[in-house]
Amino acid sequence: MRFRHPDGSIVHLAYCTNVHPAETLGGVLAQLRDHCEPVRRRLGRDRLGVGLWLAKDASHALVTDPAALRALRSELDRRGLEVVTLNGFPYEGFGAQEVKYRVYRPDWADPERLAHTTALARVLARLLPDDVTEGSISTLPLAWRTAYDDDRAATARAALATLAERLDALHELTGRSLRVGLEPEPGCTVETTADAIAPLTAIGHDRIGVCVDTCHLATSFEDPHTALDALAEARVPVVKSQLSAALHAEHPRLPEVRAALAAFDEPRFLHQTRTTTATGLRGTDDLGEALTGDALPDTAPWRAHFHVPLHAAPAAPLTSTLPVLRAALTRLVGGPHPLTRHLEVETYTWQALPPELRPRARAQLVDGIAAELTLARDLLTDLGLKELP
C-alpha cells in the first residue's frame, strides 16, 4: 500500500510475512498464494506491500540462482504484491515450536550474520518495484546482552562498517539505495533507541540506522517523541518502523490481572517484561519469570513484549500499547517531512495468542491481518496522507 505524504513523497505500508512460518523458497511462494494475495483481495486493493522474511535457506537459494530470483519477482507481480523492505532479524527456525533465545543467533559478531544480511540486500535490490529505488532491511540489534564483551562489540561494529561499504557498492552497481536498521529490543545489547545512538554514530554511515518497532519502544517505556527527537539530533536515520503493540497491565498486583497475563505466557517466544521504578527500568527475560515470585515489582504498570493484534486490544483487565504506536506514527510521518518512508505491520504472534483468540482457519488469519492494515491505513490518512491506488 502506498500513500502520498503532504510533502509529495511516497510512504509505503506493508505487513511482515514472519507471521507465516517458512524456511525455504517453496514455502515463501506458498505464502504469497495462500496468505498475501488473499489479504490483498480482502482489502480490495490492486497492490499490497509485503515485508518478506527470508530465512537462511530461502535467501541462499535466491542469491545463488538468478532464475529463482526472477521467478519470485514475477510471482510477486502476478499476485499484485510488492516488496520494498525485508525482515532480516530472524536467521532461521522462526516457525519452530520453541524460538526463545535462538532468534538472537547468529549475532553481529558472527560472520554468518554479515553474510546473510549481504545476501538479503542483493536479493532486495532485484525485488524492488521498477519505480522504487530505496529499500530497507531490519536486523538484530547487535546481540543478546549476555556473552557480549568489548572484543565482540568491536567485531560487530567492523561487520556493520563492511556491510555499509557493500551497500555503497550495490548502489553503484544497481542504482538501488538500500539501508539496514538495527531493531532495538528489550534484553539486547541495544535495548532502546537511546542505546543505538553510540554504536551507530561510531560507525557513522547513513546506510546503517534504526528500525523503530513500536511494541519494543513501548515495552521499554520510551516516550516516542523523546526517542525520535534524540535520533534526529544525533543524525541517526530511521530506516523503517514496525507498527506493533505490546501487552499492557495497569495493575499487575491484582490477582485477576496476573491470571489474565498468565494466559499470554506461552512456550514459543520470549516475552520480555518491564516496569518502571524510582531507580529506573526493571525487567525479566520472560513473562513467566515476572509472574512467579518477586522478580519484578508490581506497584507500577507492566508491559510485556507480546505483539498483540493492532485492531483488537486484549480484554479487560489488560490492554495494549496502541496509544504509543499512534504517538510514534504522528512523529514519524505526521510532520512536514516523514522521518521514514517504510512502515510495516508486524504481528507475528497470532498463533501464540491464548487459544480462544487464535485464528482457527486460514481465512480468519487473512481477515485479522487485513483488519490490522485497515487500522494502520486509517491512522495514516488521519495524519493527512493520501492512499494511492
Side-chain angles (χ1 to χ4, degrees):
M1 300 170 76
R2 298 186 184 191
F3 298 81
R4 188 174 302 281
H5 190 274
D7 75 348
S9 63
I10 303 300
V11 173
H12 294 265
L13 173 66
Y15 92 89
C16 186
T17 63
N18 62 354
V19 64
H20 314 304
E23 300 288 318
T24 66
L25 179 55
V28 171
L29 295 171
Q31 290 174 349
L32 305 183
R33 179 193 67 222
D34 296 340
H35 300 286
C36 301
E37 185 178 11
V39 169
R40 178 184 66 76
R41 293 184 180 279
R42 177 67 177 81
L43 289 167
R45 308 301 301 162
D46 294 332
R47 174 173 52 192
L48 177 67
V50 290
L52 286 182
W53 171 58
L54 298 174
K56 175 194 68 171
D57 288 347
S59 65
H60 180 75
L62 290 166
V63 82
T64 57
D65 185 350
L69 186 51
R70 287 194 298 271
L72 174 58
R73 172 62 192 275
S74 296
E75 189 72 358
L76 288 164
D77 292 343
R78 186 169 75 86
R79 298 191 182 279
L81 307 170
E82 65 177 14
V83 175
V84 303
T85 189
L86 300 179
N87 186 332
F89 194 140
Y91 179 71
E92 60 183 349
F94 201 61
Q97 290 299 309
E98 182 176 329
V99 179
K100 298 291 185 181
Y101 295 95
R102 290 173 52 190
V103 75
Y104 307 106
R105 299 193 298 267
D107 64 31
W108 272 100
D110 189 320
E112 290 182 34
R113 178 60 68 172
L114 174 59
H116 177 59
T117 310
T118 301
L120 292 178
R122 290 171 177 162
V123 169
L124 181 58
R126 302 299 180 186
L127 291 183
L128 288 177
D130 293 341
D131 62 345
V132 174
T133 59
E134 296 182 354
S136 62
I137 302 170
S138 50
T139 190
L140 177 78
L142 298 182
W144 186 252
R145 68 181 185 280
T146 57
Y148 191 73
D149 55 22
D150 290 344
D151 288 342
R152 291 184 67 80
T155 301
R157 286 196 299 271
L160 285 166
T162 298
L163 176 66
E165 294 171 358
R166 292 178 180 178
L167 296 177
D168 281 341
L170 193 61
H171 185 204
E172 291 184 13
L173 180 66
T174 67
R176 303 301 177 88
S177 179
L178 305 183
R179 297 191 297 172
V180 172
L182 304 184
E183 182 184 330
E185 176 167 318
C188 291
T189 301
V190 175
E191 173 157 340
T192 66
T193 55
D195 295 334
I197 291 174
L200 289 177
T201 52
I203 295 166
H205 201 297
D206 62 4
R207 294 203 186 277
I208 312 296
V210 167
C211 167
V212 175
D213 184 302
T214 59
C215 170
H216 303 173
L217 190 81
T219 301
S220 294
F221 287 88
E222 290 194 81
D223 174 72
H225 293 282
T226 301
L228 293 169
D229 285 349
L231 291 175
E233 185 176 351
R235 299 181 182 274
V236 172
V238 180
V239 170
K240 64 186 278 190
S241 180
Q242 289 171 327
L243 307 183
S244 52
L247 193 61
H248 180 94
E250 186 68 19
H251 302 291
R253 176 168 290 184
L254 299 178
E256 60 269 28
V257 175
R258 286 178 171 261
L261 284 170
F264 288 84
D265 179 27
E266 54 83 39
R268 186 171 171 187
F269 300 110
L270 275 186
H271 301 295
Q272 303 93 313
T273 305
R274 298 290 185 266
T275 190
T276 55
T277 71
T279 57
L281 205 62
R282 288 275 302 276
T284 60
D285 283 356
D286 215 344
L287 179 57
E289 298 174 43
L291 291 169
T292 58
D294 56 358
L296 203 61
D298 59 7
T299 55
W302 287 2
R303 288 177 179 172
H305 173 216
F306 195 119
H307 290 224
V308 296
L310 301 187
H311 67 293
L318 303 178
T319 188
S320 81
T321 60
L322 186 62
V324 177
L325 186 160
R326 292 177 185 270
L329 199 58
T330 298
R331 182 69 179 88
L332 286 166
V333 300
H337 305 286
L339 298 184
T340 183
R341 295 184 182 89
H342 291 178
L343 305 173
E344 178 183 64
V345 171
E346 197 216 15
T347 304
Y348 59 83
T349 43
W350 279 93
Q351 297 302 337
L353 290 166
E356 67 276 10
L357 301 179
R358 295 174 194 168
R360 293 183 295 278
R362 186 181 297 166
Q364 287 182 304
L365 179 58
V366 166
D367 287 346
I369 293 169
E372 290 193 289
L373 285 166
T374 297
L375 183 146
R377 178 195 65 195
D378 292 346
L379 292 178
L380 291 173
T381 56
D382 287 348
L383 290 171
L385 282 74
K386 180 181 179 181
E387 186 178 6
L388 300 176

